[in-house]
Amino acid sequence: MDAERARLTEARVSKSAAWRKWGPYLSERQWGTVREDYSEGGDAWNYFTHDQARSRAYRWGEDGLAGISDDQQRLCFALALWNGRDPILKERLFGLNNSEGNHGEDVKEYYFYLDSTPTHSYMKYLYKYPQPPYPYSDLVDTNRHRGKHEFEYELIDTGVFDDNRYFDVFVEYAKASPEDILVQLTVDNRGPEPATLHALPTLWFRNTWSWGDAAPRPALRQAAAGPAGSAITASHPDLGERVLYAEGAASLLFTENETNTRRLVGVASRTPYVKDGINDYVVHGREASVNPEKTGTKASLYYTFEVPAGGSRTVRLRLTDAAPVTNGVGAAFGDAFDGVMQACRLEADEFYASVVPSSLDKDAANVMRQALAGMLWSKQFYHYDVDRWLSEHGADPFSQRRQAPRNGHWHHMHNAHILSMPDKWEYPWYAAWDLAFHVLALSLVDENFGKQQLDLMLHESYLHPSGQLPAYEWNFGDVNPPVHAWSTIYTYRLEKARHGRGDLDWLERAFHKLLLNFTWWVNRKDRAGNNAFEGGFLGLDNIGVFDRSAPLPTGGYLEQADGTAWMALFCQNMLEITGELAMERPGYVDLALKFAEHFLWIGSAMMHAGQNVGMWDEEDGFFYDVLRLPDGSAQRLKVRSMVGLLPLCAVTEFDGKLMEKYPPLRERMRDFLTKRPELTAFIHNPGELGHGGRRLAAVLNERNLRRVLATMLDEKEFLSPYGIRSLSRYHAEHPFVFRAGGQEYRVSYLPAESDTGMFGGNSNWRGPIWMPVNMLIVRALLQYYLYYGDRFTIECPTGSGRQMTLHGVAAEISRRLGNLFLRDASGRRPVYGATRKFQEDPHWRDLILFYEYFHGDNGAGLGASHQTGWTGVVALAMHLFATRTPEQMLERGKSLVGETAHQAPPTAASTRGRRS
């Protein structure tokens, strides 16, 4: 067992081995969030701005550059920088708010998560800091005046990186023990001339004492200062004592993490030393802005050094709970420091050697490792006591006199945990369905953290009493796709495959909470009681003809093909879970039958072939949303989109072991099917046995599966060189147009950014490639393959004359997804499009950003640039097809899910995946 796996084991079995206590838990943007919004109208972006962030104490969390904190974010450490030219210290990442960007909010910085182990025993981060003045006003003004049909104006477009006049600032963390953290800051000057950098490693306490709780104030104090090094002690009533050691000569600057009300509103601050005191000292030379007594709740070690052209400077620090050294600050460093740092680097390499398949080449291995590093860096302490927040807004759950701006029905929520974020700048809050995808990739490296994340969403302080899962902080009551059960059974099977036995008690606890959520869906989203579900936007933002979460301009309502497909898959996942439970706990047998029957009702409703209008269009061989009008009429909204592909994903293979163990169950199921032949008249018949005696729960029978696949695999429709598009390219020349109330509603193929403001205008589901739904399609194809085996082949791409098995199609889509990030034959990465710096510069070209979504034709990255969360599942795709052959999949089925073979025979995929 390697050192990192030993730490993971130790952390799992011993509460005293708190290897995860310290980690990258700082947000990268706390300003502009719902939590910090106390405006009357809920205008979070403008209530707390980036300009205010340096001067205003946060209520619910902290942010910083390359920072860490403890798991309750009591004590924080991060880096501040100044190039001598900027108007402010670089203490946090800058970006545009939703109204400033022509495509919504967008971070305007270049930073990279280079490495991290699951316990954060080793982490590495890179920030690229321009030497010319940072162009704050230029970025705001230029983007604000660009239209939605124009490209975003990025930092690299401003010219600040011309002639390589910038610093590469590397920050490394290494743990000598759970409470002894080594920090190494390395600054490389990439420019042609010497340049001066001001570096301020900063330690501070989250402000927990200013909010009326009579909480004691913690304290930072200077313990030592001299040419050899400095030390700051940190005393906190709950966290205890810590010491931050710093090597070399530095000035120690102290202030308070308190709001500068004089700057913000012209009222005297309640303390003479305030949050931006260190900024004012460094940038404006105001000596009176820092505390000469060398004490406070925020402190920086102020280094100034000139870095020669092409040269480098290093600063070493150490944050520890060990007693202060008595033989000088230098004792905290020396050769022992270098030894620990190097050992942690090597242990990280050793760990990833056991995760990244050896069959991947160097470039692919680098992509996979950075994907996983980004997911691990994207953990954040998320703190939100909704009841208190609502109370502070004057909202009372038992009174209607004052309404909350949002989340008024979520008083039960009190979140204060480490959560996996979609993107710690653009989306520094959790989203339920994003999190389910995060867990798939995180479980490659830390299955226990994955389980804990799933547990949190089902905890009583998250799950609504009605059974609804929270969506995201802008509106917890919005509806995300119900993928939690799928992630749960995946995680259980992975653990079972790795360790020989799954955590059945954990699965059972999750099941009962998931049952509440399932019931919520059935009671709230099946308006007519006919098993055709609504759901609103369901995470697909602008994909619909209308805003699917708002009242329709026509009146009436939508029966949604995606909402109904999600519920069909939810049934299958609950059937899988009850099947696992029933193998050892017979009380779950009846529930297994219940979910099997419920799936059939839903599947039959999707393929409705009666006189009324259903979601399946027999002429087109595709699914569409159905608009039900107040006069009783109905019509399909014939947009060929991901909405119509998701029913393909409502498929799960079953091995029949449950029926073998409980023969009466087989008889009861057979009796049900005999009495209800209409339920299987148009869907796949679950009684038909497939490869190896397997059974299949699927909405699509073989005939209709072939029809949908022919459309999906057509390069003139959905199949892009880089995955499956969210909207068919057919709509580029044939937009869907709907008229109602004198207004025209149009859906056209938009391969890049959105051209509307729907859902903030900061994402686009009308053409680009999205990783999570692509991975659902890959999963579905493999489920079909386990049932049909090699006898089912399909032309891929459609019209190419090349026949592939369904495994071959899944592998081909995964290959295309991976190619987003890999160098092509010309050495270029599609994700970076025409940005020459990223394509050609040796200090940029191997740094990978995992964007939110990708151009439907050329693969360029779009949207949030650090959406490693669900885009990071590309690591799972790379791992899957590098470690499993088609033969192994057919032989072992789903039991293979968690096994960690590292080298598949190189010709396996080609020999079984494709037929000529």
Side-chain angles (χ1 to χ4, degrees):
M1 181 184 295
D2 62 65
E4 178 61 13
R5 293 195 187 279
R7 280 187 283 264
L8 287 167
T9 300
E10 189 180 357
R12 185 178 71 249
V13 301
S14 172
K15 291 184 178 180
S16 62
W19 282 105
R20 296 191 192 88
K21 180 176 178 178
W22 294 86
Y25 306 144
L26 278 182
S27 176
E28 282 161 348
R29 177 175 63 81
Q30 184 68 14
W31 60 272
T33 61
V34 165
R35 283 154 288 155
E36 301 295 339
D37 176 24
Y38 287 84
S39 65
E40 289 290 328
D43 186 3
W45 283 111
N46 291 309
Y47 179 75
F48 202 138
T49 66
H50 176 270
D51 181 61
Q52 296 172 355
R54 69 179 182 275
S55 307
R56 187 171 172 181
Y58 292 127
R59 174 72 175 90
W60 296 102
E62 295 290 336
D63 57 19
L65 192 65
I68 63 170
S69 77
D70 67 279
D71 57 9
Q72 289 295 298
Q73 206 165 93
R74 292 160 291 202
L75 183 61
C76 309
F77 173 88
L79 182 62
L81 301 166
W82 190 48
N83 57 15
R85 299 179 179 181
D86 285 352
I88 58 175
L89 283 183
K90 180 64 69 174
E91 295 182 271
R92 57 188 51 80
L93 299 169
F94 174 74
L96 307 181
N97 69 30
N98 184 264
S99 64
E100 292 171 335
N102 59 323
H103 297 117
E105 60 268 27
D106 188 38
V107 67
K108 299 298 183 184
E109 306 269 16
Y110 294 110
Y111 56 104
F112 304 89
Y113 308 126
L114 298 183
D115 211 356
S116 180
T117 57
T119 66
H120 311 296
S121 59
Y122 178 72
M123 299 192 297
K124 188 175 185 180
Y125 178 106
L126 168 62
Y127 174 67
K128 291 183 176 287
Y129 187 37
Q131 294 168 9
Y134 186 93
Y136 290 101
S137 297
D138 182 22
L139 286 165
V140 173
D141 294 342
T142 304
N143 278 286
R144 182 177 279 153
H145 290 96
R146 289 194 174 188
K148 293 192 178 297
H149 293 279
E150 296 179 88
F151 289 118
E152 294 176 359
Y153 185 58
E154 302 294 0
L155 180 59
I156 206 162
D157 300 325
T158 68
V160 293
F161 292 103
D162 290 354
D163 301 319
N164 292 323
R165 295 182 187 275
Y166 68 93
F167 298 106
D168 267 344
V169 183
F170 295 93
V171 183
E172 293 177 275
Y173 295 94
K175 293 181 181 178
S177 74
E179 297 279 5
D180 188 3
I181 305 165
L182 284 59
V183 187
Q184 182 162 301
L185 168 66
T186 305
V187 179
D188 291 338
N189 179 3
R190 301 300 185 197
E193 298 172 355
T196 299
L197 180 67
H198 305 253
L200 295 95
T202 302
L203 191 68
W204 75 100
F205 290 108
R206 177 166 61 91
N207 187 327
T208 58
W209 57 87
S210 296
W211 317 107
D213 293 328
R217 181 189 291 261
L220 302 171
R221 294 182 177 86
Q222 177 176 299
S230 307
I232 297 172
T233 59
S235 301
H236 189 282
D238 298 322
L239 192 61
E241 303 292 320
R242 294 291 185 285
V243 184
L244 176 63
Y245 296 102
E247 189 179 38
S251 300
L252 273 63
L253 308 177
F254 288 80
T255 189
E256 301 291 345
N257 188 13
E258 294 270 10
T259 298
N260 183 351
T261 55
R262 183 170 297 282
R263 173 180 178 254
L264 296 175
V265 295
V267 176
S269 304
R270 68 178 187 176
T271 59
Y273 308 107
V274 289
K275 183 176 178 180
D276 55 9
I278 294 171
N279 174 89
D280 290 351
Y281 177 92
V282 174
V283 177
H284 303 296
R286 297 173 187 162
E287 294 187 7
S289 67
V290 295
N291 190 345
E293 299 298 319
K294 304 295 184 182
T295 185
T297 50
K298 178 180 179 181
S300 294
L301 297 133
Y302 182 19
Y303 294 89
T304 303
F305 39 74
E306 184 177 271
V307 188
S312 179
R313 292 293 299 269
T314 299
V315 173
R316 301 191 298 179
L317 306 101
R318 191 165 192 159
L319 180 62
T320 179
D321 66 344
V325 295
T326 58
N327 55 341
V329 171
F333 301 101
D335 292 341
F337 182 103
D338 292 337
V340 171
M341 184 66 71
Q342 182 61 13
C344 287
R345 292 184 190 120
L346 294 174
E347 288 165 3
D349 290 343
E350 183 183 19
F351 172 76
Y352 278 106
S354 72
V355 173
V356 177
S358 59
S359 56
L360 296 184
D361 65 23
K362 183 178 180 180
D363 188 36
N366 175 53
V367 169
M368 182 175 171
R369 184 160 173 175
Q370 286 192 50
L372 294 169
M375 300 201 68
L376 293 166
W377 266 96
S378 294
K379 297 179 185 179
Q380 178 184 311
F381 174 71
Y382 184 87
H383 187 207
Y384 193 12
D385 181 343
V386 179
D387 185 59
R388 179 157 185 177
W389 184 84
L390 290 168
S391 176
E392 291 167 351
H393 281 74
D396 184 339
F398 302 107
S399 171
Q400 298 300 312
R401 286 179 297 179
R402 183 179 175 87
Q403 295 294 313
R406 53 174 55 88
N407 297 326
H409 298 291
W410 292 79
H411 284 262
H412 72 287
M413 290 189 71
H414 186 174
N415 303 164
H417 300 93
I418 303 302
L419 283 151
S420 177
M421 295 292 128
D423 179 317
K424 291 203 297 186
W425 194 95
E426 290 216 20
Y427 300 94
W429 49 79
Y430 63 86
W433 86 299
D434 295 56
L435 190 67
F437 286 97
H438 299 183
V439 168
L440 304 181
L442 285 167
S443 294
L444 277 175
V445 293
D446 191 353
E447 64 203 50
N448 286 292
F449 180 74
K451 288 170 64 178
Q452 182 248 357
Q453 295 293 285
L454 294 171
D455 280 344
L456 284 176
M457 290 298 104
L458 299 176
H459 190 269
E460 62 269 17
S461 62
Y462 289 76
L463 185 71
H464 195 275
S466 67
Q468 184 180 9
L469 284 168
Y472 43 80
E473 67 176 33
W474 290 91
N475 182 4
F476 284 126
D478 219 330
V479 184
N480 276 183
V483 290
H484 209 81
W486 168 52
S487 191
T488 298
I489 188 61
Y490 174 89
T491 302
Y492 171 82
R493 286 212 170 100
L494 181 144
E495 184 180 44
K496 185 177 180 180
R498 286 182 177 173
H499 306 293
R501 181 174 179 81
D503 187 345
L504 208 62
D505 291 337
W506 173 79
L507 187 66
E508 185 175 45
R509 289 194 303 272
F511 171 77
H512 289 288
K513 298 292 185 70
L514 289 167
L515 188 58
L516 294 176
N517 184 237
F518 184 89
T519 304
W520 179 88
W521 269 90
V522 170
N523 290 337
R524 297 291 183 92
K525 296 302 174 183
D526 180 10
R527 182 186 303 231
N530 62 357
N531 296 296
F533 288 81
E534 301 171 63
F537 89 117
L538 287 177
L540 306 187
D541 292 15
N542 66 335
I543 203 166
V545 181
F546 323 112
D547 179 345
R548 300 194 301 170
S549 290
L552 302 181
T554 59
Y557 63 96
L558 289 176
E559 291 179 345
Q560 297 180 212
D562 55 338
T564 309
W566 288 122
M567 283 304 291
L569 180 61
F570 198 173
C571 281
Q572 294 169 7
N573 300 144
M574 293 294 272
L575 174 56
E576 289 183 282
I577 293 172
T578 52
E580 291 286 345
L581 293 170
M583 291 299 289
E584 296 191 28
R585 300 173 186 182
Y588 287 95
V589 171
D590 286 349
L591 279 169
L593 182 62
K594 172 260 183 298
F595 285 110
E597 293 177 356
H598 206 145
F599 160 71
L600 293 171
W601 286 109
I602 294 173
S604 176
M606 289 209 74
M607 296 298 299
H608 184 69
Q611 294 180 350
N612 295 329
V613 176
M615 300 172 200
W616 174 255
D617 188 297
E618 179 61 27
E619 181 180 355
D620 293 356
F622 206 74
F623 291 94
Y624 303 107
D625 283 348
V626 174
L627 175 62
R628 300 278 177 196
L629 296 168
D631 64 3
S633 64
Q635 69 179 97
R636 298 186 188 99
L637 300 176
K638 299 181 74 170
V639 179
R640 294 214 279 269
S641 74
M642 188 60 66
V643 165
L645 289 181
L646 284 171
L648 167 83
C649 301
V651 56
T652 303
E653 167 270 329
F654 294 89
D655 59 15
K657 291 181 180 177
L658 187 65
M659 288 186 174
E660 290 177 8
K661 183 164 185 174
Y662 300 102
L665 181 63
R666 179 187 288 109
E667 297 304 316
R668 292 168 65 187
M669 189 67 195
R670 183 180 297 144
D671 185 55
F672 175 79
L673 293 173
T674 300
K675 292 178 179 179
R676 294 286 186 180
E678 72 278 10
L679 294 183
T680 56
F682 300 101
I683 70 171
H684 175 79
N685 185 348
E688 294 179 0
L689 299 183
H691 182 91
R694 297 184 177 116
R695 298 175 185 269
L696 191 71
V699 171
L700 294 170
N701 59 26
E702 182 172 348
R703 171 183 174 273
N704 291 329
L705 173 61
R706 290 184 178 278
R707 298 184 70 191
V708 172
L709 286 177
T711 301
M712 186 184 81
L713 299 176
D714 189 336
E715 292 178 314
K716 298 187 295 294
E717 296 244 16
F718 286 97
L719 184 60
S720 159
Y722 305 103
I724 303 299
R725 302 178 176 105
S726 52
L727 187 84
S728 171
R729 206 172 188 280
Y730 167 85
H731 291 299
E733 297 180 4
H734 306 90
F736 178 82
V737 178
F738 185 90
R739 294 176 176 86
Q743 188 171 348
E744 180 180 282
Y745 299 86
R746 177 181 294 262
V747 177
S748 300
Y749 175 69
L750 302 170
E753 301 281 12
S754 172
D755 63 356
T756 76
M758 193 184 296
F759 282 91
N762 61 343
S763 68
N764 182 26
W765 284 84
R766 295 184 176 182
I769 297 151
W770 290 76
M771 192 67 65
V773 286
N774 270 263
M775 286 304 296
L776 275 171
I777 290 170
V778 169
R779 171 209 174 264
L781 291 167
L782 293 177
Q783 295 289 316
Y784 289 117
Y785 178 67
L786 292 177
Y787 177 79
Y788 288 112
D790 290 330
R791 76 165 182 81
F792 187 118
T793 62
I794 191 84
E795 196 175 33
C796 180
T798 299
S800 68
R802 292 184 296 168
Q803 293 289 317
M804 292 189 185
T805 66
L806 293 171
H807 177 278
V809 176
E812 175 64 14
I813 292 172
S814 293
R815 184 188 66 81
R816 293 182 183 219
L817 293 170
N819 284 347
L820 285 163
F821 308 102
L822 299 173
R823 291 184 186 173
D824 62 19
S826 66
R828 301 171 67 84
R829 300 184 193 276
V831 64
Y832 290 133
T835 308
R836 292 186 62 184
K837 197 79 170 171
F838 275 101
Q839 299 290 13
E840 300 171 7
D841 192 302
H843 298 300
W844 294 69
R845 66 188 182 193
D846 291 327
L847 305 172
I848 312 299
L849 291 176
F850 297 87
Y851 284 82
E852 185 179 6
Y853 52 99
F854 303 87
H855 194 289
D857 296 333
N858 63 35
L862 299 165
S865 57
H866 288 72
Q867 187 96 4
T868 322
W870 64 15
T871 301
V873 298
V874 70
L876 180 63
M878 297 172 79
H879 186 272
L880 178 66
F881 290 99
T883 58
R884 292 155 178 80
T885 67
E887 292 87 352
Q888 288 172 329
M889 287 191 178
L890 281 182
E891 180 183 352
R892 303 289 300 280
K894 287 183 287 193
S895 67
L896 194 65
V897 68
E899 296 185 10
T900 53
H902 299 298
Q903 181 86 45
T907 59
S910 58
T911 57
R912 292 289 294 274
R914 177 180 298 172
R915 291 182 178 178
S916 57

